[in-house]
Every structure is written in C-alpha cells, then in structure tokens.
Amino acid sequence: RDGMHRVIQFLHRLDKPVIAMINGPAVAGGLALALSCDFRIAADTARLGDTSGKFGLLPDEGGAWLFPRAMGLDRALKMTMLAEVYDARTALESGLVTEVVPAAELEAHTMAFARKLASRAPLAVRLAKAMMVRGLSLTLDQSLGEAALSVMVSNPSQDAREGVKAFFEKREAKF
C-alpha cells in the first residue's frame, strides 16, 4: 500500500501534465491511479469504477479523496457503496475520464494529445497546472494572489516572448 500511495502522490504532485491511457478495466486502486493523472483518455471498451465495497473494503488508495473530486460526492458514494463499474461513456459523463476514443485509435490519439501538450509553452503549462491544483484548496482571493505572482514569473519569460512574437508573425510558436 505504501508504494501505491507514493506513486499516486508523485503523479498528483508532478509539475508536468500526466496522461493516463486506459485500455481495459480501471477499478478501485486502478481508478485511483488513473485519477491521479491530469488527463484520462479511455478506449470505448474501457470499464471504470470501484468494487472495493463489494468485498467489504474501502477506497484506500486515494479513492476517498480522488473519486468525489472527479465526479461529486453523491456519485462517488454511490459508485463505492454499490460497487459500480461503468462503461467508458458513462465514465465520461460522470467526470472519471477526459475523453473516450475507439479502442483501435487509443494509442495514436493519446500520443497526438501528448505531442500537442508538449508543443505548448513549458513554463505556462507547469504554472497553470500548479495554479489550478493549488486553487482547489484556496479561496478566490488567495488564488488571485498566487496568479499575480505566477504572472510575474511567466510574462517576462522567453516562452512568453516567443508566444507574442509568433502571434504577431502569424505562425505557430516554437517552445
């Protein structure tokens, strides 16, 4: 357990975007692992849920914290207490996954998504992730204060200079 906890904490704290590619079942601890990633792209054949309650167990791999944040408290309680496992479309509607794609296209789609993320301004991507993750536990005023500090780092950066230059030159920025 301690090892899985460390992996989930590491993924959640990583300052770069993390993508889970789900091609099969992501249940209980597997779902918690997927939810510790920033984006979850699932094959249309994937199944996601929490069966821990079926065995008298608890969502102890971070699920008790992650599930309600992804799908709301009432849905998370229902999923865990009734040991529900959902098809990919229902998981999408519930907030458990970011996208659903045909299984045959899963790897190509996920890699294209990753390449698109990698083409964005690295500093802005990292700061946006940090701001949004921390923002979940801050007040609006605190979040605005942190945003003001982050802008002081990002605006004078080489990334921002390239982004503005590319805009005026009507071309894609190269970071």
Side-chain angles (χ1 to χ4, degrees):
R1 261 191 226 304
D2 190 41
M4 180 69 138
H5 289 182
R6 282 195 302 254
V7 169
I8 287 172
Q9 288 170 325
F10 173 79
L11 290 172
H12 183 70
R13 291 178 183 154
L14 194 63
D15 66 345
K16 296 178 179 123
V18 180
I19 305 166
M21 183 169 56
I22 305 165
N23 188 18
V27 179
L31 179 56
L33 183 62
L35 287 172
S36 65
C37 299
D38 302 303
F39 304 99
R40 292 156 306 283
I41 302 175
D44 57 0
T45 55
R47 299 189 44 80
L48 300 95
D50 184 23
T51 57
S52 58
K54 186 177 191 175
F55 306 103
L57 302 172
L58 297 171
D60 60 346
E61 301 294 347
W65 191 85
L66 293 161
F67 299 164
R69 282 171 170 74
M71 61 191 317
L73 179 60
D74 59 336
R75 289 180 178 187
L77 285 169
K78 180 177 178 278
M79 177 182 70
T80 295
M81 292 177 177
L82 299 180
E84 294 181 333
V85 176
Y86 309 118
D87 61 60
R89 291 281 167 213
T90 303
L92 177 66
E93 293 165 7
S94 298
L96 294 175
V97 297
T98 311
E99 294 182 48
V100 174
V101 298
E105 299 170 20
L106 179 63
E107 186 173 353
H109 181 86
T110 303
M111 295 309 294
F113 184 83
R115 282 190 296 278
K116 190 170 186 176
L117 274 175
S119 74
R120 298 303 188 242
L123 182 60
V125 167
R126 292 169 97 168
L127 288 172
K129 177 178 176 176
M131 288 170 55
M132 288 188 193
V133 168
R134 284 204 21 88
L136 291 171
S137 62
L138 300 176
T139 65
L140 175 59
D141 289 342
Q142 291 169 326
S143 183
L144 290 171
E146 287 209 3
L149 293 174
S150 293
V151 165
M152 292 171 63
V153 172
S154 65
N155 281 7
S157 73
Q158 177 60 37
D159 285 356
R161 283 193 292 278
E162 166 60 12
V164 171
K165 184 178 177 186
F167 173 78
F168 284 112
E169 293 175 359
K170 295 181 175 31
R171 62 172 174 80
E172 285 293 317
K174 292 183 174 58
F175 301 105

